[in-house]
Amino acid sequence: MPEKIKTTCPYCGVGCGIITSKDSTGRITIKGDPDHPANFGRLCSKGTALAETLDLEGRLLEPMVDGTIVDWSEALDTVADRFRNIIDQHGPNAVAFYVSGQLLTEDYYVANKLMKGFIGSGNIDTNSRLCMSSAVAAYKRAFGSDTVPCEYEDIEHAELIVITGSNTAWCHPVIYQRIVKAKKENPALRIVVIDPRATATRDIADLHLPLKPGSDSYLFNGLLSYLESHGCRNRGFTDNHCEGLDDALVAARKTASNITDVARVCELDPEDVRDFYDCFASTEKSLTLYSQGINQSSSGTDKANAIINCHLITGRIGRQGMGPFSITGQPNAMGGREVGGLANQLAAHMDIENASHHALVSEFWNAPDLCTGAGLKAVDLFRAVEDGSVKAVWIMATNPVVSMPDADRVREALKGCELVVVSDTSANTDTVDLAHIRLPALGWGEKDGTVTNSERRISRQRKFLKAPGAARADWWIINEVARRMGFESAFDYQSPAEIFSEYATLTGYQNNGSRDLDISGLADLDADSYDNLAPLQWPRKKEDDDSDRIFSDGRFFTAGGKARFIPVDPQLPAYPVSETQPFILNSGRVRDHWHTMTRTGKSPRLGSHTEEPYAEIHPEDASRLNLQENDLVELNTELGNAIVRTRLSTGQRKGSLFAPFHWSDQNSAAARIDALVNPVTDPFSGQPESKHAPVGIRPWRAQWYGFLLSRRELDLKGCGYWSKARGNSIWRYHIAGNQSPADWEDLARQWVCSDQDNVEWVEYADSTRNQYRAARIVDDELESCLYVGATKSLPDHDWIEPIFLNGRVQDHERIALLSGRPLQEGQDQGPTVCACFGVGSNQVKELINSGEITSVEQITERLKAGGNCGSCLPELKQLLASGLPSQSAA
Ligand code: SF4
């Protein structure tokens, strides 16, 4: 029997349960856990492809100091000594940690304890700052605590689901599928999608409000004032359990007193606004889901409070099927919040500025030097690195050179930093490449601990793979550095179970119901119980806690126990468009990639859905600029530029662009989208405005276009544009240049040649048409092949991949390679639509064109596409409607 281990998906905040099985050959299979309450067996395309990401290619497996491999003892001594020297000379605020929602709660706890408790600085912040810190700040302002008051089960009980600032279909696909199912089972369920773009999520909307980017607070202020004027105030609730309503209403009326004004500011149809307001007003069980479209804004906290205000005035909180529900992006953003991963919080949801919290944590940790003020939030932290006030930074499990706004400036700051330590699984990322000290960390499947998902559910991540090379758990690495810095007695952890137990104890320490986060019922778990811990939600004051739903008693964690309405004065984005930067750039994710692709980039299935970086543009804007589908364009701001493809979509608002932020210098010539994003932040949360960067767009004039398939990774010097994606046992490069080389063969040989025997080089050149094709065959097997032409219309290449896998290249295959034509009809599947079953758009198109099918269900029946995670169903629908291959994006 294969060995089966239950664990949790390492990607998004849905927190799906997974069962891994290892057969006798060591082959791993991944399935959704039918018993996990977050997903009941479902996984999306990313979760389903996890087994393809487990190889050791590109892994960092040994500690390195200043470019030399060393043993752990030397690496840890060096980190501790260099940190200690800088602290001794310049004080504790001269050092910082920048951590990640990829860390497990136990890792986070130890990192936070070291920095805030013993180094004595608040300078630990996390990449979750970029993702949901506005949601945290808003909850704290309204409830006095960072409490997510909803659960996934609410989806099945709601009568209205408002999805705002979230392409749930692509970014939280299992939640989306749950909503789809709820709608099927309850056709009366109304779904309103509020998003400037028509994304795949719009597919299930009864009403889509494509509001002007950044105008969300006007819309929700208008709703607040409408609810009041239409008698929807729940007086019992607001009188007894809330404060500040009058001021919030004054602010709302001042800016959004009537539907006409709201519709004008938000650039919406007044009837649609009325429809939304009526629907919300008349539906008791209203659930509002929101995510980065709300949070990633220079007024994200206000936007979230404008939403919360509408739930408070109607008393729609603390009961089943309703509430303001922030969906977190990262797998353990919530765990990080819980143990103080944000620079302005202490552990266990306590506040640095709160004297009794400070005294409590200081006493519990026996940490007299506990920091007395908040540390630097992400953007400020890297500014401090730049100006030299932070002289040492330890970056764990994240890639800020790609993901921070104004990313070029972050890169330059790190280049000038006295000490950069990086703990990572990858040997090369844009950030690891700048590190003085590289520490090999365990990856998913190798590490043990807990994560918390968007609905406050704690789940175990369990290891099912051996630690490779010298890689170690993050908590262990931090613990060992802390000991070497002289803090042995506070850092004597032997296992994640011990750390969890200490953290759980702290949550209950002098709590007595005064703090929302209490899992002290889990403090006494022994190692076995911790190992076997089933997914559970907090609070958990006793091991078998059956407390009522959070806030069901109308008691909140503010000083007076009442929820606070927050007056919202809506602000449009900080930087308006200009003559030179006339478009608004909205950055985000694609369906099948995660963050900077260090993991999803390993999967051929995931890579083939979106192989190249792109910007989505409305066809009318494109036509005005003389741009067509798949053109190369340069996006530019004063901060940086990027070269990407165009995708034309009527779902895009005119004047706006959307571009995914996944590409880095490891897999593209110039597509780090965050290099274009302004580092302007929300004043309360410090979260950057990643959804609104004014940019210019212009054609990138190429003289030639091509693709290159190769068994080996290549260094493509002389290519102005390239992007790299994983294929089956090969790398796929899309390339282009704005200058043709004097001799194609010379350049091609520079790119693909290595010192090997038995090399055969076959080529075809037509200089009049600027065409060049070449195949490099080593020991009779295809090693690489290159196609170049004067236009972007190149032959499809899916049919070439099997030739790499088939062994000896046959004569007819050589002819096909040089002619650029598939060996047989139907060998080119086209871009992947269904990543779970590897179904391409050409296959779907062929089936549709056959006239044999009329529904998406029939496509699933015939090709399986859409029959697993369902993430591709909106695209299948679109293909069916248009009869054309889909190029839509999220
Ligand atoms: Fe993982 Fe997908 Fe579930 Fe998110 S929705 S946790 S990415 S399987």
Side-chain angles (χ1 to χ4, degrees), residues 9-16 42-44 46-48 171-175:
C9 177
Y11 292 121
C12 82
V14 181
C16 295
R42 266 193 186 278
L43 295 177
C44 75
K46 293 185 285 290
T48 304
C171 299
H172 297 97
V174 166
I175 289 185

